[in-house]
């Protein structure tokens, strides 16, 4: 699947040539010397290296300066010649409805905005400006915004006014007002009709007035608007103190000469001055939180994943299902290559839809099956254009003209839309489901309902730890809550049970039996299923026998002394069982130790810390091949998903054991040194969630795109047997697939970029369905458009997954270097193309990406990538596996955990206190903080934590009375305790896995665990602080720009 | 002096021995000229209610390669307390315990009437008997139900301390654990994968956990007894096992149309054998296989699962068209040899309308002394009663079965042993009394008989090695001692010793004596066993030709005739019946495969080589009784002329019991005369053969097929195929005589056979 992929195309995204250039040119040597020293004092950035850097940087191998610069030149010229340059497209697309154009041109014109910003001296403000198209405009106006407009403009401003003067200008002429692109969106959003439904030619005019004014009005507006602005102001004032030759406060600190970076002055940099994730999140929440996000506009950027919003599907899939790295694709491959911003979508086909949003409609096209384009096989969707009086339709993806089947015929209205547009979900919605016909089923037979097989390791460790008893007790009640089809009386899912150590025990729990029967299979070399009838049963029918069995299992093995286990045969058995029953399903494997018993898939301890930091480090993450590879294929072919719950006391070769789960849409859970009292509840809530969650089986996903680009790479818990079909034995509500796109050809601005994700799967009730998600994006030949519509959270998800896959084949250092390089490159490209020339010492970030560096830095510090001998190999592999299946929300919080101050919580309010930045500086001795990253949760208690708070929460008089470890949080009847518990529970409800709460006291040893999540600080196991990283990236950018 | 008849009878009663010759020719040359070898039928465990077992160890000859047991033929010097071995002439002193010995105070083993004597000896702790049921679940519901009931019933017949085990098989093989409460536990094996004994034991957890460095070793038998969960005392688990059998379901795997169920008989047996091998080597154990069809998968498969390919027939075998035959046979042979080495035996209860692969599997029973029972269904009294009879008890209330027997033969110097034919395997024990000339299983003086019943009879063949020019002294006697060590069903170890002696006779001077000492019944059976033994490996016609030549040579040797005058040919009384036996033997299913399936042939041969003389003779020449109003029932000639309209015939072929109502009788019966009080005598006539048949049914093992038929009935073919076809459609002249029924066959009749025999015997050119 992926092995050769990464090596062949070194960068994570399009920028092949460029990247290649970097690594050979200057990319390699400098990062090595610098980055290696990153974790050490900032002196690392002192002057000498830059000297070294420069020469290579100027070499042609780096950036391709000639072409690029010429392009830029062209761009710049365009400013003047703009109208002309745009005219042709407009003319060449007569088919476009006239009103379709305004919004587009609006976007394009954004390109012009940046130039003004280049004039700014204040670096921070420039960061804002870069993205000023959107946020700064909004109410919490940053102080920077005014500044930019005040200072920058003459050249650019000159133009807009003229444009303003001629509202009725033809579309191309409208660029200037475009500054306010968000406002139009807002207005449009509020309009009842679909995007294109705006009223004819006057459209542009209508838009412009509100736009322009809005944008400009704000300029003079309160200079100290939002908190963000306020914070900025401070530093700015402090500017003079800084020694930087550059006038601005920060700029001086930042980019300045290397000399400035070194030494004490840097310490004085105010961390508040650098872009804050919490701030960005807060701003977005404030701006878009609680609103309805209507998906009727092509290429609109959705709110952040952290923002609480409601989606109304009007033709594009909800961002919960699909989220893109950018909502405006560059028109050409060259542009894409130039900017190096990866084009990708993160697809979570089964994402949970909140209660207040409409669930997916189910469409039945009858016996002939869903209507599809004859050529590209895309499914009927809103992008199909009906023509010829409704007799034919043109495919929105491949442009093929198809006949409309007779039974599907419908007349068109005067707008050329089908009369039944709003009655048919497939014509009006972004996401819906088709009932699949037998043609879509294996062997043309309707599928059987899936089965859940519980496979419990009953070797000594699991018995001793009490785990087996715990599981058996839990299953008795849990199985009553198996997921069921909506409206169904009981779940159709069958259940089966297997226990094993060195050998496997199957159980016959047929309802007719007086007592369960156990069948032992000791031939682990060639696993088979010893029984057919009675193994997979309906829980309700066989409840008595099953309960009898679950009662007996712990006793039966109570005095076992078998400590060896097998693993591959267990999965094999599961697959065989499903094969025999001709159904898909899921295996829940509760396993304790590295499988050392003589059997296929026997593993040996290959944990070698000496490999860390060497070329061979990657082998630690590579699964052992052979049996497991074949098993993956078998599992996927049968639709057998494997969920692995691991309870290791030592090394278990996670990389190999997690291999099958991670390719079959399964999950891996790990509870090291499991003790019922300590991790029991944690495990149980994971188990419950895992059993109950909504899921589809035996799935094949296909992403179709419009002409000009295509899906080239897929990351996730998936299996690819060819280059286009994403096979997943199962896909649940937490699994996301990240899809990367590349250009085939040029994209046109009018038609945009459309994509359709079709997922064929079997429901829990045993129905075959097709879930369709459609999404349309904009295309632009202006890079500024692209940068403006970037989605940092999606970007980092893509980078995380691609890096985690790359680390299997490349030395970690190379992977890290590529990440850093690409970060620098993306930003440099922005700087070069979208920001006006300014002092090289200024760090200018696109608004939409301004917190990208902190995420990137955090990614580099994740256990998998950081490469420290102090971290267990299993943990690193585990982390890697988890991230591979994550969606945007999960990677976001993982890479920037929420740090919530609890000592200030308002017990009377419902809300969760606003999180603070993830840095030690934000902690206070007298405080109490809750930190969560989606995987774990910490309650940090400052040394001077108020005793009454401690009393309220822990029922002990003071901090000293809390024991060092294993403290649990009692449920107490007082406002503080209730509030804390409610916060914790509301947080854990948002997450895919349950989080174990760890209570750490300041200065305790356990604090280390907590502190490694403070991602803005220097990593405990290596890795730079946010500030250092920013400086480093900045220097890289400068290298690139020279 | 008593007649030879009496002598023979007396010897048989006392020693269970029937010799072909009761005077032995004194030289090798003469012996070979007698055609029928010096040989005997020996029934080692012949029931001797009158024989009290002796509670001490036998006294053995001290010569290392002799070790003969002290017997009545030994010369004893009571004063010196010395005895001379009659086989090797070694002089041995009596052990101290015999200090009080004198002419008037002789131990039993010296008394002439104790030429057969049984010792009870102490050899290690007694081990309980073991019964391991291997049950096919690919049966029809009704069959399975019947089988389950039989098995449940059998639990009550087993000795309470016997160990039982249960293996079921179909597509998979399940070894059931019997000692667990609350949950029925079993180990399951794939039906297609051959496993080594070690693997089987490992998988069943019969190995000691591997300790540092060394691989797991089989548990010592003693430990195994405690830890073996698969074999448990009946008294402890009969409830469990009854439930388990009750819940036994048909093999759940679907059988597609046009396919046979997948039946892993081969693996099931190998696991059964492996299980016993690992846990109880060299103790008495029966593996009892109940199967309802041929093995269709895995090693030992006899036929594929496609119904369109029928199971091999003799025709296929002759044309070398039986795909699986060789492989399967080899597989079961290997298995059988392993079983035999461990002293266990395998019974096969095969009930199906079609063949079940007995041809391939027969060696399992043949080599280990196990039973083979063939029936149409488990739901028949044939199976049910036969199975019950396996557990029948003798006059002492002990089971009529013994285990782990070894039979050792010692001969005096003039004789050597050539071989044995019976349910035994060679122990490859070379000794001075082993002949190079092998007949049957030879090259050894010891054989293993894993399972014996009181009826088990072996044919032993000897070779006279005395040279012609070294005459034995007048009055010298040749002696043979049979030492049989076995585990009695009450778990005692016992040794039965039979010592016989026969006079030497000079064949030239005493040929009449020798002739009159000829036991034609024993000889017929002994020759038949040789023939059947050959038939297993040779083509049928070759065997027949060999038998014919032997018969002709015998007639030439002992017949009285003028050269080239067939009419002058006469045989003395002691040989007169022999040609007739041979005639019927030639027609018997043991040598004729026509109209028999390979399975049937194997089944018949299996029983033929183990039954005692009387039963064997019945098999060769079935007996026919005639019932009429004219007198008491009488045996009549096995001839078509005996089939008369006003008679009822009862034929016993050992395997079948046919009651045949003559034409008139059948009409009367149909008319219901027997219901009328005035025809009470007719009712009695009808009842008489039924009662007699019942008597036979009571004792016969296995239960014969019981056939009640009448003139013109389709089942009458059982009778018609057996009788001598003296009247056929070819010799129509007999029509007018009303003296029997013509048989539609081209087979030669006894008359024609005899005519040819005479002609050949008197021919000077032969």
């Amino acid at each position: 699947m992926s092995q050769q992929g990464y090596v062949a195309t070194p960068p994570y995204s399009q920028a092949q040539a460029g990247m290649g250039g970097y690594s050979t040119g200057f990319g390699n040597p400098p990062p090595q010397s610098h980055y290696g020293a990153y974790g050490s004092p900032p002196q690392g950035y002192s002057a000498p290296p830059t000297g070294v850097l420069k020469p290579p940087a100027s070499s042609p191998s780096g950036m391709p300066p000639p072409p690029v610069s010429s392009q830029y030149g062209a761009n710049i010229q365009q400013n003047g010649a703009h109208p002309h340059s745009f005219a042709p497209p407009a003319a060449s697309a007569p088919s476009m409805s006239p009103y379709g154009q305004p919004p587009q041109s609006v976007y394009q014109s954004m390109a012009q905005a940046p130039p003004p910003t280049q004039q700014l001296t204040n670096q921070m403000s420039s960061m804002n400006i870069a993205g000023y198209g959107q946020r700064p405009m909004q109410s919490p106006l940053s102080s920077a915004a005014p500044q930019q407009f005040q200072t920058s403009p003459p050249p650019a401003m000159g133009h807009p006014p003229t444009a303003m003067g001629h509202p009725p200008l033809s579309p191309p002429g409208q660029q200037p007002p475009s500054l306010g692109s968000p406002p139009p969106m807002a207005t449009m959003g509020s309009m009842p009709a679909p995007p294109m439904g705006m009223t004819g030619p006057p459209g542009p005019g209508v838009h412009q007035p509100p736009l322009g004014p809005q944008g400009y009005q704000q300029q003079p507006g309160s200079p100290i608007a939002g908190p963000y602005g306020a914070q900025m102001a401070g530093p700015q004032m402090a500017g003079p103190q800084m020694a930087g030759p550059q006038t601005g406060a920060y700029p001086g600190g930042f980019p300045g000469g290397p000399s400035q970076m070194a030494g004490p002055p840097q310490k004085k940099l105010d961390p508040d001055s650098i872009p804050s994730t919490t701030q960005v999140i807060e701003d977005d929440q404030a701006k878009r939180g609680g609103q309805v996000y209507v998906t009727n506009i092509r290429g609109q950027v959705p709110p952040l994943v952290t923002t609480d919003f409601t989606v109304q599907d009007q033709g594009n899939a909800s961002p919960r299902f699909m989220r893109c790295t950018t909502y405006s694709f560059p028109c050409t491959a060259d542009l894409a290559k130039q900017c190096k911003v990866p084009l990708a979508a993160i697809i979570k086909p089964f994402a949970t839809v909140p209660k207040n949003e409409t669930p997916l409609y189910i469409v039945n096209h009858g016996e002939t099956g869903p209507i599809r384009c004859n050529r590209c096989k895309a499914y009927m969707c809103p992008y199909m254009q009906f023509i010829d009086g409704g007799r034919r339709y043109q495919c929105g993806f491949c442009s093929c003209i198809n006949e409309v089947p007779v039974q599907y015929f419908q007349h068109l209205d005067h707008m050329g839309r089908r009369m039944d547009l709003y009655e048919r979900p497939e014509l009006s919605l972004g996401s819906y489901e088709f009932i699949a016909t037998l043609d879509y089923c294996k062997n043309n037979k309707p599928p059987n309902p899936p089965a859940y097989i519980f496979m419990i390791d009953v070797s000594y460790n699991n018995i001793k730890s009490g785990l087996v008893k715990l599981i058996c007790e839990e299953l008795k009640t849990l199985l009553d809550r198996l997921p069921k089809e909506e409206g169904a009386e009981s779940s159709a899912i069958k259940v089966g049970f297997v226990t094993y150590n060195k050998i496997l025990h199957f159980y016959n729990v047929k309802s007719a039996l007086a007592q369960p029967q156990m069948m032992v299979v000791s031939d682990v070399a060639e696993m088979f299923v010893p029984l057919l009838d009675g193994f997979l049963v309906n829980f309700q029918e066989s409840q008595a026998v099953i309960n009898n069995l679950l009662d007996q299992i712990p006793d039966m093995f109570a005095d076992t002394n078998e400590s060896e286990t097998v693993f591959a045969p267990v999965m094999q058995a599961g697959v065989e069982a499903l094969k025999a029953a001709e159904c898909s399903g899921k295996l829940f494997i509760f396993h304790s130790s590295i499988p050392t018993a003589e059997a296929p898939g026997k593993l040996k301890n290959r944990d070698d810390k000496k490999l860390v930091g060497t070329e061979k480090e990657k082998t630690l993450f590579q699964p052992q091949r052979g049996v497991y590879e074949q098993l993956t294929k078998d599992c996927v072919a049968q639709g057998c998903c494997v969920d692995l719950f691991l309870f290791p006391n030592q090394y278990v070769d996670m990389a190999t054991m997690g291999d099958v789960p991670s390719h079959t849409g399964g999950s891996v859970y790990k509870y090291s040194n499991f003790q019922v009292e300590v991790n029991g509840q944690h495990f149980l809530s994971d188990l419950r969630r895992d059993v109950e969650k909504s899921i589809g089986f035996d799935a094949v996903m296909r992403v179709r795109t419009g002409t000009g680009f295509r899906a080239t790479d897929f990351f996730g818990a998936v299996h690819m047997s060819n280059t286009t079909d994403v096979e997943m034995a199962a896909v649940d509500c937490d699994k996301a697939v990240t899809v990367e796109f590349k250009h085939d050809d040029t994209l046109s601005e009018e038609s945009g970029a459309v994509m359709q994700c079709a997922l064929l799967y079997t429901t829990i009730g045993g129905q075959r369905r097709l879930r369709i998600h459609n999404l349309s994006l904009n295309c632009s030949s202006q890079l500024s458009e692209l940068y403006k519509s970037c989605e940092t959270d999606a970007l980092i998800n893509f980078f995380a997954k691609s890096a985690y896959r790359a680390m299997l084949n490349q030395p970690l250092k190379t992977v890290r270097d590529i990440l850093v390089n690409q970060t620098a490159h993306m930003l440099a490209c922005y700087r070069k193309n979208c920001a006006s020339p300014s002092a090289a010492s200024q760090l200018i970030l696109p608004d939409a990406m301004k917190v990208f560096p902190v995420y990137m830095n955090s990614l580099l510090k994740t256990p998998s990538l950081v490469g420290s001998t102090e971290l267990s190999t299993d943990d690193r592999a585990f982390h890697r596996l988890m991230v591979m299946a994550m969606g945007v929300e999960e990677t976001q919080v993982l890479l920037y955990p929420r740090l919530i101050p609890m000592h200030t919580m308002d017990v009377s309010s419902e809300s969760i206190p606003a999180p603070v930045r993830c840095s030690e500086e934000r902690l206070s001795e007298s405080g109490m903080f809750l930190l969560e990253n989606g995987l774990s949760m910490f309650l940090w208690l400052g040394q001077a934590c108020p005793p009454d708070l401690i009393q309220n929460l822990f029922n002990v008089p003071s901090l000293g009375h809390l024991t060092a470890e294993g403290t649990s949080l009692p449920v107490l009847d007082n406002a503080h305790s209730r509030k804390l518990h409610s916060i914790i529970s509301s947080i854990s409800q948002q997450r895919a896995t349950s989080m174990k709460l760890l209570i750490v006291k300041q200065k305790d040893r356990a604090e280390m665990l907590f502190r490694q999540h403070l991602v803005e600080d220097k990593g405990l196991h290596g890795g730079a602080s946010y500030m250092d990283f920013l400086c480093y990236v900045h220097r890289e950018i400068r290298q690139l720009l020279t | 002096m008593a007649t030879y008849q009496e002598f023979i009878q007396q010897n048989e009663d006392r020693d269970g021995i029937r010799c072909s010759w009761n005077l032995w020719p004194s030289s090798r040359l003469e012996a070979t000229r007698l055609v029928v070898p010096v040989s005997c039928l020996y029934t080692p465990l012949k029931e001797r209610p009158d024989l009290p077992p002796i509670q001490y160890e036998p006294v053995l000859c001290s010569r290392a390669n002799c070790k003969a047991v002290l017997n009545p033929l030994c010369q004893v010097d009571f004063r010196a307390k010395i005895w001379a071995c009659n086989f090797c002439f070694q002089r041995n002193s009596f052990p101290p315990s015999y200090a009080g010995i004198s002419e008037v105070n002789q131990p039993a083993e010296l008394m002439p009437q104790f030429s057969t004597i049984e010792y009870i000896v102490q050899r290690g702790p007694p081990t309980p008997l073991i019964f391991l049921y291997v049950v096919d679940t690919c049966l029809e519901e009704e069959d399975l139900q019947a089988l389950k009931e039989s098995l449940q019933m059998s639990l009550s017949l087993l000795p309470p301390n016997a160990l039982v085990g249960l293996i079921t098989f179909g597509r998979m093989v399940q070894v059931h654990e019997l000692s667990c409460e609350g949950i029925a536990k079993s180990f399951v094996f794939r039906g297609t994968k051959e496993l080594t004994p070690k693997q089987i034991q490992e998988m069943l957890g019969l190995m000691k956990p591997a300790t540092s460095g060394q691989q797991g070793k089989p548990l010592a038998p003693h430990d195994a007894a405690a830890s073996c969960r698969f074999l448990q005392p009946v008294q402890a688990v009969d409830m469990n096992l009854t439930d388990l059998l009750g819940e036994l379901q048909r093999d759940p795997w679907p059988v597609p149309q046009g396919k046979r169920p997948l039946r892993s008989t081969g693996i099931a047996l190998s696991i059964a054998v492996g299980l016993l091998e690992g846990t109880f080597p060299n103790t008495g154990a029966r593996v009892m296989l109940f199967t309802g069809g041929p093995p269709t998968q895995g090693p030992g498969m006899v036929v594929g699962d496609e119904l369109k390919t029928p199971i091999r027939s003799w025709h296929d075998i002759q044309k070398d068209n039986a795909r699986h035959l060789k492989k399967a046979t080899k597989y079961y042979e290997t298995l059988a040899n392993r079983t035999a080495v461990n002293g266990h035996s395998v019974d096969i209860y095969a009930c199906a309308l079609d063949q079940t692969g007995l041809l391939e599997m027969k060696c399992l029973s043949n080599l280990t002394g196990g039973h083979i029972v063939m029936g149409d269904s488990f739901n028949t009294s044939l199976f049910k009663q036969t199975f019950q009879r396996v557990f029948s008890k003798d006059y002492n209330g002990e089971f009529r079965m013994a285990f782990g027997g070894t039979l050792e033969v010692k001969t005096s110097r003039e004789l050597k042993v050539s071989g044995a034919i019976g349910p035994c395997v060679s122990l490859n024990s070379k000794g001075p009394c082993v002949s190079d000339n092998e007949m049957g299983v030879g090259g050894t003086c010891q054989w293993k008989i894993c399972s014996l019943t009181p009826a088990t009879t072996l044919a032993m063949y000897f070779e006279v090695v005395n040279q012609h020019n070294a005459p034995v002294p007048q009055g010298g006697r040749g002696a043979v001692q049979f030492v049989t060590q076995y585990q009695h069903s009450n778990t005692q170890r016992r040794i039965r010793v039979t010592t016989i002696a026969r006079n030497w006779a000079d064949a030239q001077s005493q040929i009449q004596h020798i002739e009159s000492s000829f036991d034609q019944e024993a000889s017929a059976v002994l020759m038949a066993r040789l023939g059947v033994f050959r038939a297993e490996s040779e083509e049928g016609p070759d065997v027949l030709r060999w038998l014919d030549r032997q018969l002709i040579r015998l007639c030439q040797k002992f017949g009285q005739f003028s050269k080239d005058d067939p009419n002058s040919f006469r045989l003395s009384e002691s040989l007169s019946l022999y040609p007739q036996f041979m005639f019927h033997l030639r027609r018997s299913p043991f040598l004729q495969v026509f109209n028999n399936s390979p399975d049937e042939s194997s089944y018949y041969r299996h029983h033929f080589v183990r039954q005692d003389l009387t039963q064997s003779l019945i098999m060769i020449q079935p007996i026919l009784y005639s019932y009429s109003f004219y007198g008491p029932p009488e045996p009549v000639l096995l001839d078509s002329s005996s089939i008369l309209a006003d008679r009822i015939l009862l034929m016993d072929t050992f395997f079948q019991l046919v009651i045949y109502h003559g034409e008139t009788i059948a009409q009367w019966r149909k008319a219901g005369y027997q219901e009328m009080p005035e025809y009470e005598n007719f009712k009695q006539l009808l009842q008489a053969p039924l009662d007699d048949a019942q008597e036979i049914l009571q004792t016969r093992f296995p239960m014969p097929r019981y056939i009640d038929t009448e003139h013109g009935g389709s089942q009458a073919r059982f009778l018609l195929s057996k009788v001598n076809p003296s009247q056929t459609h070819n010799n129509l002249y007999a029509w007018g005589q009303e003296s029997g029924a013509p048989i539609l066959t081209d087979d030669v009749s006894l008359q024609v056979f005899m005519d040819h025999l005479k002609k050949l015997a008197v021919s000077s050119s032969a």
Side-chain angles (χ1 to χ4, degrees), chain A residues 642 655 658-668 716-719 880-881 884:
Chain A
V642 179
D659 190 41
V660 176
S662 67
H663 284 100
T664 56
S667 314
V668 180
V718 300
H719 175 76
R880 195 189 81 77
L881 291 174
M884 284 311 283

Side-chain angles (χ1 to χ4, degrees), chain B residues 297-589:
Chain B
Q297 70 165 0
M301 93 185 232
V302 164
V303 65
D305 65 339
E306 288 284 350
L307 268 176
K308 64 182 179 211
T309 46
I311 192 165
R312 77 276 171 289
S313 64
W314 278 119
H315 185 72
D316 295 328
I317 295 169
Q318 275 149 12
K319 293 180 83 180
D320 203 16
N321 223 356
R323 264 184 67 207
H324 307 288
L325 176 68
K326 286 212 179 85
K327 234 176 116 187
T329 309
K330 184 146 185 285
Y331 175 78
Y332 291 113
E333 263 171 16
T334 315
L335 207 53
N337 282 314
R338 261 174 58 200
T339 318
V341 166
N342 295 310
H344 306 135
S345 71
V346 180
D347 292 350
I348 302 175
Y349 304 88
C351 288
L353 290 169
D354 196 3
Q355 300 188 73
T356 54
L358 286 183
L359 172 66
E360 287 82 357
M361 295 192 283
K362 66 185 177 205
C363 48
L364 282 170
S365 298
N366 287 349
L367 301 187
T368 63
H371 304 303
I372 295 184
V373 172
M374 199 168 105
D376 291 344
S377 158
F378 287 109
N379 197 15
T380 56
S381 61
L382 185 144
F383 166 72
K384 289 178 184 168
Q385 299 203 16
T386 303
F387 182 51
Q388 218 163 352
R389 211 155 290 165
V390 171
F391 303 101
S392 64
K393 292 181 178 173
D394 65 7
Y395 50 91
N396 280 334
E398 284 168 346
F399 290 97
R400 285 197 170 94
M401 56 176 92
F403 292 96
T406 54
L407 170 64
E408 184 172 7
V409 173
K410 299 178 194 305
T411 57
S412 51
R413 287 176 177 181
E414 302 82 1
L415 272 181
K416 287 194 174 185
V417 62
S418 292
I421 296 179
C424 59
V425 287
S426 161
L427 278 175
N428 272 324
S429 162
K430 310 284 183 205
C433 57
V434 177
S435 161
D436 294 333
N437 185 15
E438 280 189 42
M439 300 175 89
V441 182
T444 178
C445 61
Q446 284 187 32
W447 292 264
K448 187 149 195 166
I449 317 165
C450 298
S451 167
L452 298 122
T453 67
T456 306
T457 301
L458 286 91
M460 309 295 307
Y461 299 89
F462 301 95
E463 185 184 21
V464 177
V465 291
N466 202 33
Q467 291 304 314
H468 192 61
N469 49 12
V472 280
Q474 190 63 32
R477 292 203 289 181
V480 179
Q481 186 171 62
F482 301 94
V483 181
T484 312
Q485 308 196 30
Y486 68 97
Q487 181 188 348
H488 193 264
S489 61
N490 63 11
T491 75
Q492 286 168 342
R493 296 297 303 185
R494 293 194 180 189
I495 301 175
R496 183 181 282 216
V497 181
T498 297
T499 316
I500 60 160
R502 292 293 182 270
N503 288 331
W504 294 112
D506 179 28
Q508 270 155 349
S509 55
Q510 298 172 297
I511 189 72
Q512 283 83 10
H513 288 108
I514 292 177
E515 186 182 344
S516 55
S517 80
F518 185 65
D519 181 342
Q520 50 185 343
E521 292 177 337
S523 297
V525 174
L526 284 160
M527 289 305 279
R529 281 211 184 183
L530 278 176
V532 169
F533 187 81
R534 277 170 180 254
E536 294 282 296
S537 50
E538 291 175 32
E539 293 281 327
D542 294 346
V543 179
L544 292 180
R545 224 168 288 131
W546 174 81
L547 267 181
D548 290 347
R549 206 163 46 245
Q550 301 299 310
L551 177 61
I552 295 163
R553 281 181 55 208
L554 188 75
C555 290
Q556 283 173 331
K557 174 84 183 170
F558 293 104
Q560 293 179 355
F561 54 88
S562 329
K563 267 208 171 3
D564 294 326
D565 179 6
N567 291 326
S568 67
F569 185 85
R570 293 288 180 276
L571 272 177
S572 72
E573 197 188 332
S574 59
L575 276 85
S576 59
L577 291 175
Y578 187 79
Q580 190 186 327
F581 287 139
M582 288 298 120
F583 169 76
H584 286 292
L585 176 64
R586 290 178 96 264
R587 286 167 55 85
S588 73

Side-chain angles (χ1 to χ4, degrees), chain A residues 513-520 522-523 526-530 532 552 556, chain B residues 172 174 181-190 193 203 247 252-254:
Chain A
L513 293 175
Q515 59 180 32
Q517 291 176 351
M518 176 195 206
M519 297 177 143
V520 185
S522 20
D523 184 3
E526 270 181 76
M527 194 31 73
F528 61 94
V529 185
L532 187 63
Q552 287 195 52
M556 258 191 299
Chain B
M172 317 252 167
Q174 266 177 279
E181 290 293 327
I183 189 160
K185 196 170 166 187
S186 60
F187 281 65
V188 188
F189 293 82
R190 192 190 275 274
K193 188 180 172 191
M203 289 184 181
E247 286 212 328
W253 301 88

Side-chain angles (χ1 to χ4, degrees), chain A residues 4 80 149 183-184 188 355 398 544 583 589 615 695 713 774 782 910 951 977:
Chain A
Q4 107 290 32
F149 286 103
M188 286 161 79
K355 292 223 160 51
C398 68
C583 66
I589 304 183
E615 285 274 311
I695 185 167
D713 218 343
N774 301 297
Q782 300 296 319
E910 287 288 302
Q951 175 67 48
S977 181

